[in-house]
Amino acid sequence: MELRDIELFLTLAEELHFGRTAERLHVSVSRVSQAIRSQEIEIGAPLFRRTSRKVELTPVGELLRAGLRPAYDGIRRSISDARDLAGHSADILTIGTMGAQRVELDPILEAYRSAHPFSELRFREVFFSDPFGGLRRHEVDLVTAWLPIAEPDLAVGCVLREEPLRLLVSDQHPLASRSSVSLEDLADWALPATATTAPESWLSAVAPLRTPSGRPVPRRHEVATYPEILAVVASGDVVSTVPDEGRRYYSWPGVTYLPIHDAEPVRWALIRRRERMTPVMRAFLDLAARART
């Protein structure tokens, strides 16, 4: 089994959805299906149960995932460490950015390029549905994400900034005429459900599960990207709590961004793997910390 096919299998085992797996790995759905069929033929048993409504691992698939995951992670880690030791990536910094965070980093990027003209900066898009997968797969060195981070294998490299939390509603929604709303209002309207592997403690900092008084906040319509949020909110079926960058960068016909007057600000930071700190990462984080100061 090729390393890429192992990655396809493990990703599908996480996502349990052929479309999301294909999108995450930047391949076609047919490529995912073909790889899984080949693996099942090679092993001699189905790895997934597929119906029109869901995909789930078979007992054979569960056994294969349990054995492959640590081995695959070890191979990726060894390759990354070997590249670092050989110096091939010593002057390359790859940053995963969510939404408009790439634009927000511009002052830091300009200062870094001026101070380190021979260092190469690369970027990869990160989605809230899988905010830390790129870090763990050694695809990025740093990623922008909101706080708090409670994952034991991750660390905050540098806090970047704060911004208000907003409520995104349809122009026709009963709340749209308000000048501001409260977190307590969320219990009366559904927020989008998130198709995600992200930690619940991380998601709830922006999309709370309960109001301050303890009332549950309903969920409806599964989404995985910001355009999907905009589409379901514009339809009037749900409202959505979002960082203020949505208002500044993502205008959309038929929606309104309302202030939430009792919400804590959203704090953005650069996140890294706890065990990894290269000289180029340290230089960038030091510049980012000075820029914030």
Side-chain angles (χ1 to χ4, degrees), residues 233-254:
V233 169
S235 73
D237 287 342
V238 296
V239 299
S240 183
T241 47
V242 297
D244 187 58
E245 72 170 42
R247 176 188 62 85
R248 290 180 286 119
Y249 294 105
Y250 296 97
S251 60
W252 192 272

Side-chain angles (χ1 to χ4, degrees), residues 6-268:
I6 293 174
E7 182 181 30
L8 287 166
F9 166 76
L10 291 173
T11 304
L12 181 58
E14 290 178 10
E15 296 288 352
L16 296 177
H17 190 283
F18 281 80
R20 290 198 298 271
T21 297
E23 181 179 353
R24 180 167 151 185
L25 297 180
H26 307 289
V27 298
S28 65
V29 173
S30 62
R31 172 69 177 90
V32 179
S33 298
Q34 180 184 8
I36 299 302
R37 281 197 301 271
S38 298
Q39 292 165 19
E40 290 175 332
I41 292 171
E42 180 179 350
I43 290 169
L47 301 176
F48 295 90
R49 295 189 188 94
R50 309 161 178 82
T51 70
S52 59
R53 302 187 63 182
K54 66 179 181 178
V55 176
E56 60 184 4
L57 283 162
T58 65
V60 174
E62 291 278 10
L63 180 66
L64 184 62
R65 178 180 62 173
L68 285 180
R69 172 51 72 186
Y72 175 79
D73 290 343
I75 290 170
R76 292 295 300 268
R77 187 161 50 249
S78 296
I79 292 172
S80 177
D81 292 345
R83 284 174 176 165
D84 288 346
L85 184 61
H88 294 316
S89 60
D91 292 325
I92 298 173
L93 181 67
T94 304
I95 304 174
T97 56
M98 191 181 307
Q101 294 300 305
R102 166 66 179 78
V103 178
E104 296 290 338
L105 287 175
D106 270 350
I108 301 170
L109 299 176
E110 182 178 349
Y112 181 81
R113 289 188 175 109
S114 177
H116 303 272
F118 299 107
S119 180
E120 180 181 352
L121 289 171
R122 297 178 180 175
F123 301 92
R124 294 195 66 161
E125 187 174 12
V126 173
F127 299 99
F128 63 83
S129 53
D130 183 27
F132 309 124
L135 279 174
R136 289 169 172 151
R137 293 189 297 270
H138 302 259
E139 296 169 354
V140 298
D141 301 302
L142 301 168
V143 68
T144 58
W146 62 72
L147 298 177
I149 302 295
E151 302 299 283
D153 60 326
L154 304 180
V156 177
C158 173
V159 177
L160 294 170
R161 61 188 179 83
E162 295 181 351
E163 65 182 0
L165 187 66
R166 303 280 180 178
L167 186 66
L168 179 65
V169 302
S170 164
D171 285 347
Q172 307 304 315
H173 196 277
L175 293 176
S177 60
R178 300 255 202 104
S179 58
S180 70
V181 295
S182 165
L183 289 173
E184 287 298 328
D185 291 319
L186 301 181
D188 300 322
W189 312 99
L191 268 62
T194 305
T196 181
T197 58
E200 188 175 279
S201 61
W202 179 78
L203 277 174
S204 62
V206 164
L209 297 172
R210 293 186 176 274
T211 69
S213 69
R215 299 165 66 203
V217 179
R219 293 294 196 273
R220 186 188 306 153
H221 289 302
E222 191 174 86
V223 297
T225 66
Y226 199 73
E228 290 177 4
I229 290 178
L230 288 166
V232 296
V233 169
S235 73
D237 287 342
V238 296
V239 299
S240 183
T241 47
V242 297
D244 187 58
E245 72 170 42
R247 176 188 62 85
R248 290 180 286 119
Y249 294 105
Y250 296 97
S251 60
W252 192 272
V255 299
T256 297
Y257 292 88
L258 298 174
I260 306 176
H261 57 255
D262 55 350
E264 293 292 324
V266 180
R267 300 173 66 225
W268 289 93

